Amino acid sequence: MSNQHTGPYLTDPNGREHLLDKAIVTIGRAVECDIVIVSKKVSREHARLRREGRKWFVDDLGSTNGTFRNNERVLTSLDLHDGDSLKFGDVTFLFHDPDTTSRENPFPRLEVDVAAGVVRVNRHVVALSPKEYALLAYLYSRAGQVCSKEDIGRAVWPEYQAGGIFDYQIENLVRRLRTRIEVDPANPQLLLTVRGLGYKLMTAQTT
């Protein structure tokens, strides 16, 4: 039965598959739910999955122990992609959408929520130091543009004007940021070096 579905489905910890054949699918402990989870840590009406067009979203329904997408707590509607993990209370499912495998761009998906200070790569939250975040936010605001080391120094280090920042400090910071956001830091796709000029951040919109 596996790999024969053309539509989205969930797999539970026992490998059973649950087809998402409705626009709204409820998940919880109550027998009235579309997908019933027998666990004391799962609320009666714990969460729901809903379809909008060709995309799926997950919403928490005020559950006691929370809903998590890729270990990030669901506080507002979050979109779902093939391979995402969904944890309801203490039970983890995997979301599968075979149709997306042909549509998805293999280029890493970088999201920077400046207002919330949250960074995600391929829908996984990435923890950054204040300086790493300052560098990423600056480059993100100028995505696709080459930023010189001098520009970066002024943006990231307020003390730069005093002449206390050296090239190697900027290079080290770029190297550290790459280890956080690149799938393969040795072969970066997002944060590129433009020799003799500086650095450039690429996003799906700039490729």
Side-chain angles (χ1 to χ4, degrees):
M1 188 174 176
S2 297
N3 302 321
Q4 294 178 358
H5 300 310
T6 56
Y9 62 98
L10 295 180
T11 52
D12 63 24
N14 295 317
R16 288 176 300 197
E17 298 171 356
H18 305 265
L19 282 174
L20 304 178
D21 52 3
K22 298 163 59 178
I24 296 178
V25 176
T26 57
I27 298 167
R29 201 174 72 246
V31 294
E32 296 82 13
C33 291
D34 297 302
I35 298 177
V36 179
I37 304 176
V38 182
S39 168
K40 291 181 179 179
K41 293 193 176 181
V42 173
S43 299
R44 287 183 57 78
E45 290 189 357
H46 196 102
R48 73 177 171 213
L49 305 184
R50 56 186 176 82
R51 184 179 68 230
E52 287 187 12
R54 298 177 72 179
K55 292 182 71 75
W56 280 85
F57 296 84
V58 58
D59 300 288
D60 184 76
L61 298 178
S63 66
T64 301
N65 293 304
T67 301
F68 297 81
R69 181 201 68 177
N70 299 329
N71 296 320
E72 175 186 1
R73 187 156 192 164
V74 177
L75 300 175
T76 59
S77 292
L78 294 180
D79 62 330
L80 295 175
H81 290 248
D82 187 57
D84 283 348
S85 69
L86 287 171
K87 186 177 180 182
F88 309 104
D90 60 347
V91 182
T92 301
F93 286 68
L94 284 179
F95 175 80
H96 304 272
D97 190 355
D99 192 32
T100 63
T101 54
S102 60
R103 301 198 311 262
E104 288 298 306
N105 189 333
F107 190 84
R109 179 181 174 185
L110 174 67
E111 301 171 75
V112 180
D113 186 338
V114 177
V118 175
V119 176
R120 301 184 187 93
V121 176
N122 293 334
R123 294 167 306 284
H124 291 262
V125 172
V126 177
L128 300 178
S129 71
K131 281 283 191 281
E132 291 165 354
Y133 180 79
L135 172 59
L136 179 61
Y138 176 74
L139 293 174
Y140 189 77
S141 70
R142 292 158 179 76
Q145 302 176 30
V146 178
C147 300
S148 69
K149 290 181 180 178
E150 185 177 352
D151 291 337
I152 291 171
R154 274 199 292 264
V156 178
W157 283 272
E159 65 273 24
Y160 183 80
Q161 300 287 9
I165 301 302
F166 300 96
D167 281 0
Y168 79 87
Q169 290 173 276
I170 296 173
E171 292 163 3
N172 286 342
L173 182 61
V174 167
R175 192 175 302 114
R176 292 201 305 271
L177 181 57
R178 279 186 176 138
T179 66
R180 304 287 191 196
I181 66 172
E182 297 285 1
V183 176
D184 180 4
N187 296 286
Q189 294 177 275
L190 294 167
L191 180 46
L192 306 181
T193 299
V194 182
R195 294 199 179 280
L197 296 176
Y199 300 97
K200 178 168 61 173
L201 185 72
M202 303 298 292
T203 65
Q205 290 74 31
T206 57
T207 55

